[in-house]
Amino acid sequence: MPECLKEISTRHDQEGSFPVHMEYVTVWRDSLGVLEKDTIETQSCVDMCNNAKEFSAMREKIHSLETKMMNIENRLTGYESCILQLEQKERNTVIFSAGIGGGSPLGPFNTDQTIIYDRVFVNTGNAYNVFTGIFTAPVSGVYYFTYFCHSGGVRKTSLHLYKNNEVILHIHDHQSADAADNGGNAVFLQLQQGDTVYVHLKANTHVYRSSTVTNFSRYLRKTSNNSK
């Protein structure tokens, strides 16, 4: 006869409001020719139920954390979108206005000269180069330009506004007996990103250096749909 035989049995008891599953192992041993048995109680199912509850609670916590992470990711996406919109709005804010300082005549010169408007009132977007006098469109769109001048009648005045290498506008004042004259012009221009606009003082003509009367301004009126 084998030295040890094991017999497994189960019992379901009703304790409180939930059933308790108890498992026992009956061990038979041959001791001096007499079969003896020991009944050993195994782990209670109550412990397994508690473990299951802990696992369920942990799973709920994980699900809650996952939900919070998704909400945080959605909020970050929203913040990124707002930042991109603000950056785009800042890029699309293009305003410039400047004049010529000095209080004395500018010109005449033997050749055409790009006027450098050195007294800058505003340069939002930094599209105007104060060292070259050239405005470069940072984005495609419709821009509004104005330029004005003051000059004496003893010499001619001739100012041309250029888009790239194309003459767009003129201001002229012929030599006369007038003590002083003022002139101005304005235009809407459709510009592509990188287009340049500037003012030339034509050869053998002059203007008066005064930012209050000789100036150059522009602003972005509307961006194009393909602007980046």
Side-chain angles (χ1 to χ4, degrees), residues 23-34:
E23 186 175 275
Y24 299 87
V25 177
T26 302
V27 180
W28 295 85
R29 295 193 303 274
D30 183 0
S31 178
L32 300 176
V34 179

Side-chain angles (χ1 to χ4, degrees), residues 151-155 173-181:
S151 59
V154 294
R155 293 184 183 275
D173 182 35
H174 299 285
Q175 186 174 353
S176 66
D178 295 342
D181 293 295

